[in-house]
Amino acid sequence: MKKGNFIALLPIGVFLVIYLGLGILFEYVLKIPMGFYNIPIVVAFLVALLVACLQNRKLKFDDKLVLMGRGIGDKNIVTMILIFMAAGIFVGVVGRSSAESVAYFLLSVIPPRFAVAVLFVVSCFVSTAMGTSVGTITLITPIAVSVSAASGFSLPLCIGSVMGGAMFGDNLSFISDTTIAACNGQGCQMKDKFRENFWIALPAALVTLVIILLLSFRAEVGEPEIPAYNLVQIIPYILVLAGGIIGINVFVVLLVGIFSGAVIMLATGATKATELLANMGSGAAGMFETTMVAILVSAICALIREYGGFDALLSGIRRVFKGKKGGQLGMGLLVGAMDIATANNTVAIVMANPIAREMAETYGVTPRKTASILDTFSCVFQGVIPYGAQMLVAISAAAELGFDVSAFQIMPYLLYPFMLLISSLVFIFILPERKNK
């Protein structure tokens, strides 16, 4: 182990000051809508990379470039980027109408009294299939607003249920960028991380569902209107979900999803051939920022590791968190702190990955459990912060339909993230560790 050097962590501090400082300024001082997301995160990381390059004058710049190249060229980083691209193309192919079909079908077969519970279950399913919490919230929040208006259910309860379900899939989906980042960063199979994660997420989801049902029984309900939908368009999502669960290679799963989605979208007339190609391109382009963040963070972390920054951080964590269970909590709080600072759970995982990997070796934690902890805790924090994209998108979607609701009205109804945190702590400190199979 190299000698620890806390000054080597300066690039991370610079990034946090730029991103978090400007975010607070834009969002709460200048009152710019979605102020945190008007800050170019890639530029903030480029500044942090410049700071890293200016450190350690004893090391030549060419040598620093070699170190950065090794960090970027790591097998896990390359795999992560390729999966990002494939997942983006899949989402571009199937589009919004397919996800709407999933949501409307489930809502159409359930009695109105259980409408909010259905919103939660639908959000869980759609987010697991789509791999994006923000996309799920964008899609289903208008439905939640309609359900609230038609049935008399509380609007914050409806929106909070959708956000909770969206974070369920964000945490578990095989094509979620958080899952991809956590698994590839720790070098574990997605199916192994899923099995580890599932037994933490399922109890939290079931308890959340019970609470929602108890709250629902106290309200007078009406009959929500369900638009027309096409059941055939559900097939690509089912294939991706089933393929991922049984352990088929993620690239094969995504290729099957892309191919089946393209055939169905063309056959049903939902899109034209030329539009389909454009949608593939826009889907891949939608992953540009996430991909660039992964590249830049890999370069920054390579330099910080060489300078002894991670050794210093690990030494500090070991002094605070004792034993294997304490180390797991330390990983969770590490990624949580980075998520609070960046308001982006994928970025938080990418930043925490190299530190968490070394912590896992120190504390004897398996890669699958480390990936599960990183993904779970990042989703807990991302699901409740009032300035996260999930919350801001939900509020904006409701406002577009003429309904004003604040983040602080919704936060008490973010039941799933709170239950997920409790479930995670129970699995770390109380239940015996599951054996690898």
Side-chain angles (χ1 to χ4, degrees):
M1 181 177 288
K2 298 183 182 69
K3 183 179 179 181
N5 178 17
F6 275 105
I7 299 299
L9 297 170
L10 180 62
I12 295 177
V14 169
F15 167 77
L16 296 181
V17 168
I18 294 174
Y19 189 79
L20 187 59
L22 288 178
I24 293 173
L25 175 65
F26 287 0
E27 185 77 32
Y28 298 107
V29 179
L30 301 180
K31 304 295 183 183
I32 299 174
M34 296 190 71
F36 272 88
Y37 297 90
N38 287 319
I39 303 168
I41 193 170
V42 172
V43 174
F45 271 119
L46 279 171
V47 174
L49 180 59
L50 175 62
V51 172
C53 289
L54 293 176
Q55 289 183 296
N56 196 348
R57 298 294 182 87
K58 296 179 180 179
L59 197 63
K60 294 181 180 179
F61 183 68
D62 283 347
D63 295 331
K64 294 176 182 177
L65 288 176
V66 171
L67 290 170
M68 288 187 281
R70 289 174 182 169
I72 296 170
D74 182 86
K75 175 188 173 182
N76 292 325
I77 299 299
V78 174
T79 303
M80 187 191 309
I81 292 171
L82 292 176
I83 296 175
F84 281 154
M85 296 295 102
I89 292 172
F90 172 73
V91 174
V93 167
V94 296
R96 183 186 180 97
S97 59
S98 294
E100 287 176 343
S101 296
V102 175
Y104 295 147
F105 168 70
L106 291 177
L107 284 172
S108 69
V109 297
I110 303 294
R113 178 165 293 281
F114 303 100
V116 181
V118 172
L119 285 173
F120 175 71
V121 174
V122 167
S123 299
C124 289
F125 181 84
V126 172
S127 61
T128 302
M130 291 180 66
T132 165
S133 55
V134 172
T136 301
I137 292 168
T138 301
L139 169 65
I140 302 182
T141 296
I143 304 173
V145 172
S146 300
V147 167
S148 174
S151 65
F153 283 118
S154 161
L155 181 57
L157 172 62
C158 291
I159 294 178
S161 299
V162 170
M163 290 181 62
M167 297 314 298
F168 175 88
D170 195 306
N171 183 209
L172 285 180
S173 175
F174 285 90
I175 58 173
S176 167
D177 47 4
T178 59
T179 295
I180 296 167
C183 291
N184 285 277
Q186 298 305 316
C188 71
Q189 296 291 321
M190 289 189 183
K191 62 180 181 180
D192 292 333
K193 180 264 183 186
F194 177 87
R195 290 165 183 164
E196 187 80 33
N197 221 156
F198 181 77
W199 298 109
I200 300 174
L202 180 62
L206 292 177
V207 172
T208 299
L209 186 60
V210 170
I211 296 174
I212 290 173
L213 288 171
L214 291 175
L215 294 174
S216 299
F217 288 143
R218 296 161 51 184
E220 296 294 329
V221 298
E223 187 76 33
E225 296 183 4
I226 306 298
Y229 56 88
N230 189 338
L231 281 177
V232 176
Q233 294 180 352
I234 298 177
I235 293 175
Y237 287 120
I238 295 176
L239 292 176
V240 168
L241 184 60
I245 291 174
I246 63 178
I248 298 176
N249 182 278
V250 64
F251 288 112
V252 176
V253 169
L254 288 172
L255 287 174
V256 169
I258 292 169
F259 178 76
S260 62
V263 171
I264 289 170
M265 298 301 283
L266 290 173
T268 58
T271 186
K272 298 178 181 178
T274 53
E275 293 175 349
L276 183 67
L277 291 173
N279 292 339
M280 287 182 178
S282 61
M287 289 291 186
F288 169 78
E289 184 174 83
T290 302
T291 301
M292 289 306 302
V293 165
I295 291 172
L296 291 172
V297 169
S298 299
I300 293 170
C301 288
L303 294 178
I304 292 176
R305 182 183 294 108
E306 178 66 22
Y307 300 162
F310 290 160
D311 293 312
L313 188 58
L314 283 170
S315 176
I317 291 173
R318 278 197 293 268
R319 286 198 295 268
V320 176
F321 298 99
K322 305 297 183 181
K324 187 175 183 179
K325 294 181 178 181
Q328 293 175 58
L329 177 61
M331 293 178 191
L333 295 179
L334 172 68
V335 74
M338 291 183 174
D339 185 81
I340 290 173
T342 62
N344 187 309
N345 47 344
T346 304
V347 173
I349 291 172
V350 172
M351 291 177 68
N353 261 331
I355 305 173
R357 189 163 54 244
E358 295 190 27
M359 289 176 66
E361 294 177 0
T362 300
Y363 291 103
V365 182
T366 61
R368 58 190 282 177
K369 193 169 188 70
T370 303
S372 174
I373 290 172
L374 292 179
D375 203 349
T376 300
F377 275 82
S378 70
C379 284
V380 167
F381 284 88
Q382 185 68 22
V384 298
I385 55 176
Y387 52 88
Q390 289 76 5
M391 180 69 78
L392 298 177
V393 166
I395 293 172
S396 299
E400 289 176 1
L401 297 174
F403 293 84
D404 293 326
V405 62
S406 72
F408 295 101
Q409 288 175 308
I410 297 172
M411 286 175 70
Y413 295 100
L414 295 173
L415 302 172
Y416 176 73
F418 296 135
M419 293 302 106
L420 183 61
L421 175 60
I422 293 172
S423 182
S424 299
L425 295 176
V426 167
F427 269 76
I428 289 175
F429 290 103
I430 299 177
L431 297 183
E433 186 169 353
R434 297 175 65 245
K435 295 181 179 179
N436 294 343
K437 297 181 179 179

